[in-house]
Amino acid sequence: PALSGYVPSSSDMANTDIFDKYMLSRLNSLIKQVSSAYEDLRFYDAANAIINFYWHVFCDYYLENIKYVVYGDDKARKKGVQYTLHAVVDAVLRMLAPIIPFSTAELYQSFAGKDVHAQQFPVADEHAIDKDIEEKGEYLNNIISMIRKEKTKNKLALNFELTKIIINVPEKYYTLLAENKHKLELIAKVKEIEVKVGKEEGVSIAQ
């Protein structure tokens, strides 16, 4: 449903945020890695890299992080998310096609209305690869994971809305957290997040 009727346009990149850019950077890094593995006939390495990316980066984090956008009313941000989703699904299916030909053919026909085996193999966009963005995205995902663990520790459902949490971070990450505080509140379902600089990195539920 998130991609229903969506036609990708490069102009939608203007509506991407740090989580989208992180995803696109990781995707293009993956394309380089998988291309190299296929060239060296390391099919297991290629498959393993794609599957790990799909489950542990795309599904575990990105899909969870964009739910509030998909179900929200911000049409501009939704375009950025749709652009990113389309790029990931399209590239992953084309990368898997050489080793899972029949399933990817059926899925790609449903996704794009085309024969996946008539498409070119994905080519990495070097301009989309940004190691700084990858480090920042990884850190934000880490914080989101810590909030989820804190909820679980307190026997709260992950969709339970907390009134307030306090996040202690090293000084080098304070600005990153402060700039993305509202996004974290929406993703983690917290009414208010207070970010503090502290030696002891951690998340605590304010009493």
PDB file of all heavy atoms in Angstrom, residues 61-99:
ATOM      1  N   TYR A  61      14.780  -1.975  11.046  1.00  0.00           N
ATOM      2  CA  TYR A  61      14.846  -0.560  11.417  1.00  0.00           C
ATOM      3  C   TYR A  61      14.071   0.359  10.470  1.00  0.00           C
ATOM      4  O   TYR A  61      13.157   1.054  10.908  1.00  0.00           O
ATOM      5  CB  TYR A  61      16.308  -0.098  11.521  1.00  0.00           C
ATOM      6  CG  TYR A  61      16.982  -0.633  12.755  1.00  0.00           C
ATOM      7  CD1 TYR A  61      17.840  -1.723  12.691  1.00  0.00           C
ATOM      8  CD2 TYR A  61      16.738  -0.057  13.993  1.00  0.00           C
ATOM      9  CE1 TYR A  61      18.433  -2.230  13.838  1.00  0.00           C
ATOM     10  CE2 TYR A  61      17.332  -0.552  15.149  1.00  0.00           C
ATOM     11  CZ  TYR A  61      18.184  -1.643  15.059  1.00  0.00           C
ATOM     12  OH  TYR A  61      18.760  -2.141  16.194  1.00  0.00           O
ATOM     13  N   TYR A  62      14.442   0.371   9.205  1.00  0.00           N
ATOM     14  CA  TYR A  62      13.844   1.380   8.324  1.00  0.00           C
ATOM     15  C   TYR A  62      12.322   1.290   8.264  1.00  0.00           C
ATOM     16  O   TYR A  62      11.628   2.305   8.409  1.00  0.00           O
ATOM     17  CB  TYR A  62      14.430   1.283   6.915  1.00  0.00           C
ATOM     18  CG  TYR A  62      13.929   2.397   6.014  1.00  0.00           C
ATOM     19  CD1 TYR A  62      14.315   3.721   6.238  1.00  0.00           C
ATOM     20  CD2 TYR A  62      13.043   2.140   4.974  1.00  0.00           C
ATOM     21  CE1 TYR A  62      13.836   4.754   5.449  1.00  0.00           C
ATOM     22  CE2 TYR A  62      12.556   3.173   4.179  1.00  0.00           C
ATOM     23  CZ  TYR A  62      12.966   4.471   4.413  1.00  0.00           C
ATOM     24  OH  TYR A  62      12.472   5.494   3.640  1.00  0.00           O
ATOM     25  N   LEU A  63      11.781   0.103   8.070  1.00  0.00           N
ATOM     26  CA  LEU A  63      10.322  -0.018   7.972  1.00  0.00           C
ATOM     27  C   LEU A  63       9.632   0.444   9.252  1.00  0.00           C
ATOM     28  O   LEU A  63       8.546   1.032   9.205  1.00  0.00           O
ATOM     29  CB  LEU A  63       9.914  -1.460   7.647  1.00  0.00           C
ATOM     30  CG  LEU A  63      10.261  -1.959   6.245  1.00  0.00           C
ATOM     31  CD1 LEU A  63       9.705  -3.360   6.026  1.00  0.00           C
ATOM     32  CD2 LEU A  63       9.744  -1.016   5.160  1.00  0.00           C
ATOM     33  N   GLU A  64      10.252   0.180  10.382  1.00  0.00           N
ATOM     34  CA  GLU A  64       9.688   0.647  11.652  1.00  0.00           C
ATOM     35  C   GLU A  64       9.793   2.173  11.783  1.00  0.00           C
ATOM     36  O   GLU A  64       8.884   2.830  12.279  1.00  0.00           O
ATOM     37  CB  GLU A  64      10.409  -0.024  12.831  1.00  0.00           C
ATOM     38  CG  GLU A  64      10.178  -1.519  12.947  1.00  0.00           C
ATOM     39  CD  GLU A  64       8.713  -1.871  13.190  1.00  0.00           C
ATOM     40  OE1 GLU A  64       8.053  -1.161  13.978  1.00  0.00           O
ATOM     41  OE2 GLU A  64       8.227  -2.828  12.567  1.00  0.00           O
ATOM     42  N   ASN A  65      10.899   2.713  11.288  1.00  0.00           N
ATOM     43  CA  ASN A  65      11.151   4.144  11.439  1.00  0.00           C
ATOM     44  C   ASN A  65      10.251   5.018  10.570  1.00  0.00           C
ATOM     45  O   ASN A  65      10.096   6.215  10.850  1.00  0.00           O
ATOM     46  CB  ASN A  65      12.617   4.464  11.120  1.00  0.00           C
ATOM     47  CG  ASN A  65      13.584   3.860  12.119  1.00  0.00           C
ATOM     48  OD1 ASN A  65      13.173   3.363  13.164  1.00  0.00           O
ATOM     49  ND2 ASN A  65      14.854   3.882  11.804  1.00  0.00           N
ATOM     50  N   ILE A  66       9.692   4.446   9.513  1.00  0.00           N
ATOM     51  CA  ILE A  66       8.896   5.271   8.589  1.00  0.00           C
ATOM     52  C   ILE A  66       7.391   5.088   8.748  1.00  0.00           C
ATOM     53  O   ILE A  66       6.615   5.732   8.034  1.00  0.00           O
ATOM     54  CB  ILE A  66       9.285   4.989   7.121  1.00  0.00           C
ATOM     55  CG1 ILE A  66       9.006   3.515   6.764  1.00  0.00           C
ATOM     56  CG2 ILE A  66      10.732   5.379   6.863  1.00  0.00           C
ATOM     57  CD1 ILE A  66       9.041   3.217   5.296  1.00  0.00           C
ATOM     58  N   LYS A  67       6.980   4.248   9.659  1.00  0.00           N
ATOM     59  CA  LYS A  67       5.538   3.993   9.805  1.00  0.00           C
ATOM     60  C   LYS A  67       4.749   5.277  10.044  1.00  0.00           C
ATOM     61  O   LYS A  67       3.671   5.466   9.477  1.00  0.00           O
ATOM     62  CB  LYS A  67       5.282   3.003  10.960  1.00  0.00           C
ATOM     63  CG  LYS A  67       5.498   1.552  10.580  1.00  0.00           C
ATOM     64  CD  LYS A  67       5.189   0.636  11.752  1.00  0.00           C
ATOM     65  CE  LYS A  67       5.384  -0.827  11.379  1.00  0.00           C
ATOM     66  NZ  LYS A  67       5.134  -1.719  12.542  1.00  0.00           N
ATOM     67  N   TYR A  68       5.276   6.147  10.881  1.00  0.00           N
ATOM     68  CA  TYR A  68       4.535   7.376  11.192  1.00  0.00           C
ATOM     69  C   TYR A  68       4.396   8.272   9.962  1.00  0.00           C
ATOM     70  O   TYR A  68       3.442   9.053   9.848  1.00  0.00           O
ATOM     71  CB  TYR A  68       5.201   8.131  12.351  1.00  0.00           C
ATOM     72  CG  TYR A  68       6.418   8.956  11.969  1.00  0.00           C
ATOM     73  CD1 TYR A  68       6.276  10.299  11.612  1.00  0.00           C
ATOM     74  CD2 TYR A  68       7.691   8.400  11.963  1.00  0.00           C
ATOM     75  CE1 TYR A  68       7.376  11.063  11.273  1.00  0.00           C
ATOM     76  CE2 TYR A  68       8.789   9.156  11.618  1.00  0.00           C
ATOM     77  CZ  TYR A  68       8.636  10.476  11.271  1.00  0.00           C
ATOM     78  OH  TYR A  68       9.726  11.228  10.924  1.00  0.00           O
ATOM     79  N   VAL A  69       5.343   8.151   9.023  1.00  0.00           N
ATOM     80  CA  VAL A  69       5.257   8.928   7.779  1.00  0.00           C
ATOM     81  C   VAL A  69       4.229   8.317   6.838  1.00  0.00           C
ATOM     82  O   VAL A  69       3.374   9.015   6.276  1.00  0.00           O
ATOM     83  CB  VAL A  69       6.633   9.000   7.071  1.00  0.00           C
ATOM     84  CG1 VAL A  69       6.509   9.794   5.765  1.00  0.00           C
ATOM     85  CG2 VAL A  69       7.678   9.626   7.971  1.00  0.00           C
ATOM     86  N   VAL A  70       4.300   6.995   6.684  1.00  0.00           N
ATOM     87  CA  VAL A  70       3.384   6.289   5.782  1.00  0.00           C
ATOM     88  C   VAL A  70       1.930   6.513   6.177  1.00  0.00           C
ATOM     89  O   VAL A  70       1.065   6.722   5.327  1.00  0.00           O
ATOM     90  CB  VAL A  70       3.711   4.778   5.761  1.00  0.00           C
ATOM     91  CG1 VAL A  70       2.646   3.992   4.988  1.00  0.00           C
ATOM     92  CG2 VAL A  70       5.086   4.543   5.141  1.00  0.00           C
ATOM     93  N   TYR A  71       1.671   6.497   7.491  1.00  0.00           N
ATOM     94  CA  TYR A  71       0.298   6.652   7.973  1.00  0.00           C
ATOM     95  C   TYR A  71      -0.041   8.093   8.354  1.00  0.00           C
ATOM     96  O   TYR A  71      -1.130   8.374   8.852  1.00  0.00           O
ATOM     97  CB  TYR A  71       0.053   5.725   9.166  1.00  0.00           C
ATOM     98  CG  TYR A  71       0.169   4.269   8.799  1.00  0.00           C
ATOM     99  CD1 TYR A  71       1.217   3.487   9.284  1.00  0.00           C
ATOM    100  CD2 TYR A  71      -0.748   3.669   7.942  1.00  0.00           C
ATOM    101  CE1 TYR A  71       1.340   2.150   8.936  1.00  0.00           C
ATOM    102  CE2 TYR A  71      -0.638   2.335   7.584  1.00  0.00           C
ATOM    103  CZ  TYR A  71       0.410   1.578   8.085  1.00  0.00           C
ATOM    104  OH  TYR A  71       0.532   0.263   7.729  1.00  0.00           O
ATOM    105  N   GLY A  72       0.895   9.003   8.103  1.00  0.00           N
ATOM    106  CA  GLY A  72       0.672  10.410   8.447  1.00  0.00           C
ATOM    107  C   GLY A  72       0.131  11.224   7.283  1.00  0.00           C
ATOM    108  O   GLY A  72      -0.204  10.693   6.217  1.00  0.00           O
ATOM    109  N   ASP A  73       0.097  12.538   7.480  1.00  0.00           N
ATOM    110  CA  ASP A  73      -0.505  13.447   6.499  1.00  0.00           C
ATOM    111  C   ASP A  73       0.510  14.301   5.739  1.00  0.00           C
ATOM    112  O   ASP A  73       0.115  15.126   4.914  1.00  0.00           O
ATOM    113  CB  ASP A  73      -1.499  14.387   7.204  1.00  0.00           C
ATOM    114  CG  ASP A  73      -2.634  13.613   7.863  1.00  0.00           C
ATOM    115  OD1 ASP A  73      -3.109  12.631   7.257  1.00  0.00           O
ATOM    116  OD2 ASP A  73      -3.032  13.981   8.992  1.00  0.00           O
ATOM    117  N   ASP A  74       1.801  14.115   6.031  1.00  0.00           N
ATOM    118  CA  ASP A  74       2.823  14.920   5.363  1.00  0.00           C
ATOM    119  C   ASP A  74       3.125  14.323   3.986  1.00  0.00           C
ATOM    120  O   ASP A  74       3.928  13.400   3.850  1.00  0.00           O
ATOM    121  CB  ASP A  74       4.096  14.964   6.225  1.00  0.00           C
ATOM    122  CG  ASP A  74       5.113  15.971   5.716  1.00  0.00           C
ATOM    123  OD1 ASP A  74       5.096  16.289   4.516  1.00  0.00           O
ATOM    124  OD2 ASP A  74       5.941  16.438   6.530  1.00  0.00           O
ATOM    125  N   LYS A  75       2.484  14.861   2.953  1.00  0.00           N
ATOM    126  CA  LYS A  75       2.602  14.288   1.610  1.00  0.00           C
ATOM    127  C   LYS A  75       4.006  14.439   1.030  1.00  0.00           C
ATOM    128  O   LYS A  75       4.480  13.565   0.294  1.00  0.00           O
ATOM    129  CB  LYS A  75       1.571  14.941   0.683  1.00  0.00           C
ATOM    130  CG  LYS A  75       0.138  14.562   1.029  1.00  0.00           C
ATOM    131  CD  LYS A  75      -0.859  15.203   0.073  1.00  0.00           C
ATOM    132  CE  LYS A  75      -2.296  14.803   0.442  1.00  0.00           C
ATOM    133  NZ  LYS A  75      -3.289  15.434  -0.444  1.00  0.00           N
ATOM    134  N   ALA A  76       4.662  15.536   1.351  1.00  0.00           N
ATOM    135  CA  ALA A  76       6.022  15.751   0.846  1.00  0.00           C
ATOM    136  C   ALA A  76       6.981  14.705   1.418  1.00  0.00           C
ATOM    137  O   ALA A  76       7.741  14.071   0.678  1.00  0.00           O
ATOM    138  CB  ALA A  76       6.500  17.154   1.197  1.00  0.00           C
ATOM    139  N   ARG A  77       6.932  14.510   2.745  1.00  0.00           N
ATOM    140  CA  ARG A  77       7.800  13.496   3.373  1.00  0.00           C
ATOM    141  C   ARG A  77       7.477  12.101   2.864  1.00  0.00           C
ATOM    142  O   ARG A  77       8.372  11.278   2.674  1.00  0.00           O
ATOM    143  CB  ARG A  77       7.636  13.535   4.904  1.00  0.00           C
ATOM    144  CG  ARG A  77       8.589  14.418   5.608  1.00  0.00           C
ATOM    145  CD  ARG A  77      10.045  13.978   5.484  1.00  0.00           C
ATOM    146  NE  ARG A  77      10.288  12.699   6.127  1.00  0.00           N
ATOM    147  CZ  ARG A  77      10.838  11.657   5.526  1.00  0.00           C
ATOM    148  NH1 ARG A  77      11.213  11.704   4.266  1.00  0.00           N
ATOM    149  NH2 ARG A  77      11.028  10.533   6.181  1.00  0.00           N
ATOM    150  N   LYS A  78       6.207  11.862   2.610  1.00  0.00           N
ATOM    151  CA  LYS A  78       5.797  10.552   2.104  1.00  0.00           C
ATOM    152  C   LYS A  78       6.468  10.258   0.759  1.00  0.00           C
ATOM    153  O   LYS A  78       6.847   9.123   0.478  1.00  0.00           O
ATOM    154  CB  LYS A  78       4.276  10.485   1.984  1.00  0.00           C
ATOM    155  CG  LYS A  78       3.723   9.070   1.909  1.00  0.00           C
ATOM    156  CD  LYS A  78       2.207   9.041   2.019  1.00  0.00           C
ATOM    157  CE  LYS A  78       1.723   9.396   3.410  1.00  0.00           C
ATOM    158  NZ  LYS A  78       0.284   9.178   3.582  1.00  0.00           N
ATOM    159  N   LYS A  79       6.631  11.287  -0.069  1.00  0.00           N
ATOM    160  CA  LYS A  79       7.298  11.114  -1.365  1.00  0.00           C
ATOM    161  C   LYS A  79       8.750  10.668  -1.175  1.00  0.00           C
ATOM    162  O   LYS A  79       9.266   9.826  -1.912  1.00  0.00           O
ATOM    163  CB  LYS A  79       7.258  12.426  -2.156  1.00  0.00           C
ATOM    164  CG  LYS A  79       5.897  12.788  -2.714  1.00  0.00           C
ATOM    165  CD  LYS A  79       5.523  11.909  -3.897  1.00  0.00           C
ATOM    166  CE  LYS A  79       4.240  12.365  -4.548  1.00  0.00           C
ATOM    167  NZ  LYS A  79       3.821  11.459  -5.647  1.00  0.00           N
ATOM    168  N   GLY A  80       9.418  11.251  -0.183  1.00  0.00           N
ATOM    169  CA  GLY A  80      10.793  10.863   0.103  1.00  0.00           C
ATOM    170  C   GLY A  80      10.893   9.423   0.559  1.00  0.00           C
ATOM    171  O   GLY A  80      11.805   8.685   0.161  1.00  0.00           O
ATOM    172  N   VAL A  81       9.942   9.012   1.384  1.00  0.00           N
ATOM    173  CA  VAL A  81       9.899   7.630   1.872  1.00  0.00           C
ATOM    174  C   VAL A  81       9.582   6.673   0.721  1.00  0.00           C
ATOM    175  O   VAL A  81      10.198   5.608   0.591  1.00  0.00           O
ATOM    176  CB  VAL A  81       8.853   7.499   3.004  1.00  0.00           C
ATOM    177  CG1 VAL A  81       8.456   6.050   3.224  1.00  0.00           C
ATOM    178  CG2 VAL A  81       9.398   8.093   4.296  1.00  0.00           C
ATOM    179  N   GLN A  82       8.620   7.039  -0.111  1.00  0.00           N
ATOM    180  CA  GLN A  82       8.262   6.192  -1.249  1.00  0.00           C
ATOM    181  C   GLN A  82       9.437   6.034  -2.212  1.00  0.00           C
ATOM    182  O   GLN A  82       9.674   4.944  -2.734  1.00  0.00           O
ATOM    183  CB  GLN A  82       7.057   6.780  -1.984  1.00  0.00           C
ATOM    184  CG  GLN A  82       5.747   6.634  -1.218  1.00  0.00           C
ATOM    185  CD  GLN A  82       4.584   7.324  -1.918  1.00  0.00           C
ATOM    186  OE1 GLN A  82       4.701   8.456  -2.368  1.00  0.00           O
ATOM    187  NE2 GLN A  82       3.463   6.630  -2.009  1.00  0.00           N
ATOM    188  N   TYR A  83      10.161   7.118  -2.425  1.00  0.00           N
ATOM    189  CA  TYR A  83      11.345   7.053  -3.293  1.00  0.00           C
ATOM    190  C   TYR A  83      12.354   6.037  -2.754  1.00  0.00           C
ATOM    191  O   TYR A  83      12.898   5.214  -3.496  1.00  0.00           O
ATOM    192  CB  TYR A  83      11.994   8.435  -3.382  1.00  0.00           C
ATOM    193  CG  TYR A  83      13.243   8.465  -4.228  1.00  0.00           C
ATOM    194  CD1 TYR A  83      13.165   8.665  -5.601  1.00  0.00           C
ATOM    195  CD2 TYR A  83      14.495   8.273  -3.646  1.00  0.00           C
ATOM    196  CE1 TYR A  83      14.318   8.670  -6.387  1.00  0.00           C
ATOM    197  CE2 TYR A  83      15.644   8.281  -4.424  1.00  0.00           C
ATOM    198  CZ  TYR A  83      15.555   8.483  -5.789  1.00  0.00           C
ATOM    199  OH  TYR A  83      16.699   8.478  -6.558  1.00  0.00           O
ATOM    200  N   THR A  84      12.579   6.095  -1.448  1.00  0.00           N
ATOM    201  CA  THR A  84      13.544   5.201  -0.805  1.00  0.00           C
ATOM    202  C   THR A  84      13.059   3.754  -0.828  1.00  0.00           C
ATOM    203  O   THR A  84      13.819   2.832  -1.164  1.00  0.00           O
ATOM    204  CB  THR A  84      13.804   5.655   0.644  1.00  0.00           C
ATOM    205  OG1 THR A  84      14.166   7.043   0.638  1.00  0.00           O
ATOM    206  CG2 THR A  84      14.909   4.840   1.291  1.00  0.00           C
ATOM    207  N   LEU A  85      11.798   3.539  -0.475  1.00  0.00           N
ATOM    208  CA  LEU A  85      11.226   2.192  -0.500  1.00  0.00           C
ATOM    209  C   LEU A  85      11.335   1.573  -1.896  1.00  0.00           C
ATOM    210  O   LEU A  85      11.732   0.420  -2.056  1.00  0.00           O
ATOM    211  CB  LEU A  85       9.755   2.232  -0.083  1.00  0.00           C
ATOM    212  CG  LEU A  85       9.429   2.394   1.396  1.00  0.00           C
ATOM    213  CD1 LEU A  85       7.933   2.639   1.577  1.00  0.00           C
ATOM    214  CD2 LEU A  85       9.856   1.164   2.190  1.00  0.00           C
ATOM    215  N   HIS A  86      10.968   2.356  -2.900  1.00  0.00           N
ATOM    216  CA  HIS A  86      11.005   1.862  -4.284  1.00  0.00           C
ATOM    217  C   HIS A  86      12.431   1.501  -4.685  1.00  0.00           C
ATOM    218  O   HIS A  86      12.667   0.445  -5.297  1.00  0.00           O
ATOM    219  CB  HIS A  86      10.437   2.924  -5.229  1.00  0.00           C
ATOM    220  CG  HIS A  86      10.244   2.433  -6.631  1.00  0.00           C
ATOM    221  ND1 HIS A  86      11.284   2.317  -7.536  1.00  0.00           N
ATOM    222  CD2 HIS A  86       9.128   1.998  -7.286  1.00  0.00           C
ATOM    223  CE1 HIS A  86      10.827   1.852  -8.674  1.00  0.00           C
ATOM    224  NE2 HIS A  86       9.521   1.644  -8.555  1.00  0.00           N
ATOM    225  N   ALA A  87      13.387   2.362  -4.340  1.00  0.00           N
ATOM    226  CA  ALA A  87      14.788   2.108  -4.687  1.00  0.00           C
ATOM    227  C   ALA A  87      15.290   0.812  -4.065  1.00  0.00           C
ATOM    228  O   ALA A  87      15.975   0.011  -4.728  1.00  0.00           O
ATOM    229  CB  ALA A  87      15.654   3.280  -4.230  1.00  0.00           C
ATOM    230  N   VAL A  88      14.932   0.563  -2.807  1.00  0.00           N
ATOM    231  CA  VAL A  88      15.389  -0.637  -2.105  1.00  0.00           C
ATOM    232  C   VAL A  88      14.763  -1.902  -2.703  1.00  0.00           C
ATOM    233  O   VAL A  88      15.470  -2.855  -3.046  1.00  0.00           O
ATOM    234  CB  VAL A  88      15.079  -0.553  -0.593  1.00  0.00           C
ATOM    235  CG1 VAL A  88      15.355  -1.896   0.089  1.00  0.00           C
ATOM    236  CG2 VAL A  88      15.899   0.548   0.060  1.00  0.00           C
ATOM    237  N   VAL A  89      13.441  -1.907  -2.833  1.00  0.00           N
ATOM    238  CA  VAL A  89      12.752  -3.104  -3.345  1.00  0.00           C
ATOM    239  C   VAL A  89      13.219  -3.413  -4.766  1.00  0.00           C
ATOM    240  O   VAL A  89      13.507  -4.569  -5.109  1.00  0.00           O
ATOM    241  CB  VAL A  89      11.222  -2.921  -3.299  1.00  0.00           C
ATOM    242  CG1 VAL A  89      10.516  -4.110  -3.957  1.00  0.00           C
ATOM    243  CG2 VAL A  89      10.746  -2.771  -1.856  1.00  0.00           C
ATOM    244  N   ASP A  90      13.306  -2.394  -5.601  1.00  0.00           N
ATOM    245  CA  ASP A  90      13.730  -2.575  -6.987  1.00  0.00           C
ATOM    246  C   ASP A  90      15.133  -3.180  -7.066  1.00  0.00           C
ATOM    247  O   ASP A  90      15.367  -4.163  -7.772  1.00  0.00           O
ATOM    248  CB  ASP A  90      13.686  -1.230  -7.711  1.00  0.00           C
ATOM    249  CG  ASP A  90      14.091  -1.343  -9.167  1.00  0.00           C
ATOM    250  OD1 ASP A  90      13.302  -1.907  -9.954  1.00  0.00           O
ATOM    251  OD2 ASP A  90      15.192  -0.890  -9.529  1.00  0.00           O
ATOM    252  N   ALA A  91      16.087  -2.599  -6.327  1.00  0.00           N
ATOM    253  CA  ALA A  91      17.476  -3.057  -6.383  1.00  0.00           C
ATOM    254  C   ALA A  91      17.641  -4.448  -5.774  1.00  0.00           C
ATOM    255  O   ALA A  91      18.370  -5.288  -6.316  1.00  0.00           O
ATOM    256  CB  ALA A  91      18.386  -2.058  -5.678  1.00  0.00           C
ATOM    257  N   VAL A  92      16.973  -4.700  -4.666  1.00  0.00           N
ATOM    258  CA  VAL A  92      17.097  -6.001  -4.003  1.00  0.00           C
ATOM    259  C   VAL A  92      16.586  -7.123  -4.903  1.00  0.00           C
ATOM    260  O   VAL A  92      17.230  -8.175  -5.047  1.00  0.00           O
ATOM    261  CB  VAL A  92      16.363  -6.004  -2.638  1.00  0.00           C
ATOM    262  CG1 VAL A  92      16.172  -7.436  -2.125  1.00  0.00           C
ATOM    263  CG2 VAL A  92      17.143  -5.191  -1.616  1.00  0.00           C
ATOM    264  N   LEU A  93      15.452  -6.925  -5.543  1.00  0.00           N
ATOM    265  CA  LEU A  93      14.912  -7.955  -6.444  1.00  0.00           C
ATOM    266  C   LEU A  93      15.838  -8.186  -7.631  1.00  0.00           C
ATOM    267  O   LEU A  93      16.068  -9.335  -8.039  1.00  0.00           O
ATOM    268  CB  LEU A  93      13.515  -7.567  -6.921  1.00  0.00           C
ATOM    269  CG  LEU A  93      12.401  -7.667  -5.876  1.00  0.00           C
ATOM    270  CD1 LEU A  93      11.092  -7.121  -6.434  1.00  0.00           C
ATOM    271  CD2 LEU A  93      12.207  -9.110  -5.409  1.00  0.00           C
ATOM    272  N   ARG A  94      16.397  -7.111  -8.195  1.00  0.00           N
ATOM    273  CA  ARG A  94      17.315  -7.276  -9.333  1.00  0.00           C
ATOM    274  C   ARG A  94      18.625  -7.944  -8.913  1.00  0.00           C
ATOM    275  O   ARG A  94      19.214  -8.703  -9.689  1.00  0.00           O
ATOM    276  CB  ARG A  94      17.575  -5.922  -9.994  1.00  0.00           C
ATOM    277  CG  ARG A  94      16.389  -5.451 -10.841  1.00  0.00           C
ATOM    278  CD  ARG A  94      16.738  -4.247 -11.686  1.00  0.00           C
ATOM    279  NE  ARG A  94      16.811  -3.032 -10.909  1.00  0.00           N
ATOM    280  CZ  ARG A  94      17.636  -2.013 -11.178  1.00  0.00           C
ATOM    281  NH1 ARG A  94      18.475  -2.086 -12.189  1.00  0.00           N
ATOM    282  NH2 ARG A  94      17.620  -0.925 -10.435  1.00  0.00           N
ATOM    283  N   MET A  95      19.072  -7.673  -7.683  1.00  0.00           N
ATOM    284  CA  MET A  95      20.302  -8.328  -7.206  1.00  0.00           C
ATOM    285  C   MET A  95      20.086  -9.808  -6.912  1.00  0.00           C
ATOM    286  O   MET A  95      20.996 -10.622  -7.070  1.00  0.00           O
ATOM    287  CB  MET A  95      20.823  -7.612  -5.958  1.00  0.00           C
ATOM    288  CG  MET A  95      21.517  -6.299  -6.252  1.00  0.00           C
ATOM    289  SD  MET A  95      22.365  -5.597  -4.806  1.00  0.00           S
ATOM    290  CE  MET A  95      20.988  -4.962  -3.853  1.00  0.00           C
ATOM    291  N   LEU A  96      18.872 -10.151  -6.479  1.00  0.00           N
ATOM    292  CA  LEU A  96      18.577 -11.554  -6.168  1.00  0.00           C
ATOM    293  C   LEU A  96      18.234 -12.389  -7.403  1.00  0.00           C
ATOM    294  O   LEU A  96      18.289 -13.617  -7.358  1.00  0.00           O
ATOM    295  CB  LEU A  96      17.408 -11.636  -5.179  1.00  0.00           C
ATOM    296  CG  LEU A  96      17.699 -11.291  -3.720  1.00  0.00           C
ATOM    297  CD1 LEU A  96      16.400 -11.239  -2.929  1.00  0.00           C
ATOM    298  CD2 LEU A  96      18.659 -12.296  -3.087  1.00  0.00           C
ATOM    299  N   ALA A  97      17.874 -11.718  -8.487  1.00  0.00           N
ATOM    300  CA  ALA A  97      17.403 -12.426  -9.689  1.00  0.00           C
ATOM    301  C   ALA A  97      18.353 -13.511 -10.204  1.00  0.00           C
ATOM    302  O   ALA A  97      17.889 -14.593 -10.593  1.00  0.00           O
ATOM    303  CB  ALA A  97      17.087 -11.418 -10.791  1.00  0.00           C
ATOM    304  N   PRO A  98      19.679 -13.294 -10.213  1.00  0.00           N
ATOM    305  CA  PRO A  98      20.557 -14.351 -10.734  1.00  0.00           C
ATOM    306  C   PRO A  98      20.545 -15.643  -9.914  1.00  0.00           C
ATOM    307  O   PRO A  98      20.841 -16.715 -10.446  1.00  0.00           O
ATOM    308  CB  PRO A  98      21.948 -13.696 -10.693  1.00  0.00           C
ATOM    309  CG  PRO A  98      21.685 -12.227 -10.716  1.00  0.00           C
ATOM    310  CD  PRO A  98      20.434 -12.050  -9.924  1.00  0.00           C
ATOM    311  N   ILE A  99      20.212 -15.540  -8.618  1.00  0.00           N
ATOM    312  CA  ILE A  99      20.275 -16.742  -7.776  1.00  0.00           C
ATOM    313  C   ILE A  99      18.895 -17.248  -7.343  1.00  0.00           C
ATOM    314  O   ILE A  99      18.766 -18.380  -6.886  1.00  0.00           O
ATOM    315  CB  ILE A  99      21.173 -16.516  -6.525  1.00  0.00           C
ATOM    316  CG1 ILE A  99      20.808 -15.203  -5.814  1.00  0.00           C
ATOM    317  CG2 ILE A  99      22.648 -16.545  -6.911  1.00  0.00           C
ATOM    318  CD1 ILE A  99      21.605 -14.923  -4.571  1.00  0.00           C
TER     319      ILE A  99
END
